[in-house]
Amino acid sequence: MTDSVNRDATDLGSRRLWTISRADSPVVGTAIHDGDGVRKSLLNRFALSASERLREEDPFTAFLIDDLPNKVVCHRSRFEVDLNRGRDGAVYVSPEQAWGLNVWRDPLPQDEKARSLALHDSYYAMLRFVLKEVELNFGKFVLLDVHSYNHRRTAPDVETNQQDAPDINIGTFSMDRERWAHVVDPLIAHLRTISVNGMNLDVRENVAFQGKGEQTRFIHEVFPATGCAIAIEFKKIFMDEWTGEPDRAVLEELRRGLAGAVPLLERILGYGQ
């Protein structure tokens, strides 16, 4: 397995914002909650340890999208700024915004909050620019907005009922579902062919999550006829969500399966025809 499976906890990692990889393809992958970096001025303000923050971050999602042609990977923790929330809620200031967690030792000063919100502004300015280039080159694009979610929230040995927690949840709330059915339906069918430990994955739409995040909303607003943004939530079957330890074999299977969707999506968009 490549080094990209290892999360970056170095000083350099705390300063990096995001990494962009561009390729000749209309398929884009993002991992906007993969990061655990935070700027130094916030470190002593957290009431949460790094391991406590890790439980609500999306580790290894950058690894899952590593074989997609175009990629955006964010390196800052969602506890500094949550890029998948609207600007008004992108900095957690109360437990109600953060799964009941008390994020800060003391109320966050306004200047620190403003610095975090500036990252939110910069990210969406960057994303608009990158996706505009893809649109200009290909006419239409598909963005796979990859996340992960906990299924043993109450205790390490207590699992959420499978009925309420598919292995992959596809979120389509903000899209014109009829317009993009020819993309979403074949993608779901493909993901259902991925086999982990001898079992095909349970892939369902709008069950555990509906895809109400800011990134998909933004894309469908800015690119209503040309951008199909699909929220993909992987249940954390690829790791121990309490210790952070990855299951490398499962990660490899999921990565290969996601990469296998690229030729399908390119074909649907008419790439190379």
Side-chain angles (χ1 to χ4, degrees):
M1 181 168 291
T2 68
D3 290 341
S4 59
V5 77
N6 298 315
R7 309 189 79 220
D8 192 346
T10 65
D11 182 59
L12 173 62
S14 72
R15 297 199 304 269
R16 292 193 303 171
L17 299 180
W18 41 75
T19 300
I20 305 164
S21 301
R22 285 281 283 111
D24 183 25
S25 173
V27 179
V28 183
T30 63
I32 63 175
H33 284 159
D34 179 83
D36 62 349
V38 293
R39 63 179 183 271
K40 289 183 177 180
S41 63
L42 294 180
L43 285 174
N44 292 328
R45 298 184 182 277
F46 280 115
L48 300 173
S49 67
S51 62
E52 288 172 320
R53 296 194 299 272
L54 175 68
R55 283 212 66 221
E56 302 300 343
E57 294 165 347
D58 293 354
F60 311 115
T61 50
F63 181 81
L64 293 178
I65 69 167
D66 201 40
D67 293 325
L68 301 187
N70 299 286
K71 297 182 289 291
V72 179
V73 176
C74 295
H75 304 295
R76 291 295 181 91
S77 171
R78 70 188 304 170
F79 286 94
E80 178 172 343
V81 59
D82 191 334
L83 298 173
N84 209 31
R85 298 197 184 181
R87 196 179 191 277
D88 290 346
V91 177
Y92 308 149
V93 296
S94 68
E96 291 73 25
Q97 293 174 289
W99 311 277
L101 300 173
N102 184 27
V103 176
W104 309 106
R105 296 180 185 275
D106 300 298
L108 194 64
Q110 285 302 307
D111 63 327
E112 292 285 9
K113 183 177 180 181
R115 287 184 67 185
S116 296
L117 291 177
L119 294 182
H120 193 276
D121 295 339
S122 294
Y123 177 77
Y124 278 97
M126 175 278 296
L127 186 65
R128 182 192 296 262
F129 177 81
V130 169
L131 295 181
K132 189 64 179 177
E133 280 195 329
V134 179
E135 179 195 49
L136 287 171
N137 287 337
F138 300 100
K140 294 181 179 180
F141 63 86
V142 174
L143 184 141
L144 305 181
D145 179 21
V146 174
H147 299 268
S148 63
Y149 75 98
N150 295 324
H151 63 115
R152 301 180 186 271
R153 181 166 292 281
T154 58
D157 58 348
V158 179
E159 185 173 347
T160 304
N161 190 297
Q162 184 72 26
Q163 180 179 349
D164 302 317
D167 300 322
I168 298 179
N169 184 98
I170 301 295
T172 57
F173 176 83
S174 66
M175 73 166 57
D176 180 340
R177 185 61 173 80
E178 185 176 353
R179 177 191 292 276
W180 296 111
H182 69 291
V183 174
V184 177
D185 293 339
L187 175 63
I188 291 174
H190 167 77
L191 295 175
R192 285 176 174 158
T193 68
I194 300 173
S195 177
V196 172
N197 297 324
M199 299 285 290
N200 284 3
L201 294 184
D202 173 15
V203 184
R204 284 176 280 150
E205 186 175 348
N206 299 331
V207 177
F209 301 91
Q210 289 74 47
K212 295 182 179 181
E214 176 64 9
Q215 181 166 260
T216 53
R217 186 211 63 79
F218 170 85
I219 292 168
H220 294 137
E221 178 183 276
V222 176
F223 304 94
T226 57
C228 177
I230 305 170
I232 303 179
E233 292 270 0
F234 285 87
K235 187 163 67 175
K236 290 182 179 177
I237 59 174
F238 55 82
M239 65 180 291
D240 183 322
E241 65 191 60
W242 284 85
T243 67
E245 186 67 23
D247 185 325
R248 295 173 180 270
V250 174
L251 278 169
E252 292 280 11
E253 291 292 346
L254 296 177
R255 174 174 160 174
R256 280 194 291 269
L258 196 60
V262 173
L264 168 69
L265 297 173
E266 289 180 340
R267 217 165 35 245
I268 291 170
L269 295 179
Y271 171 70
Q273 295 179 7

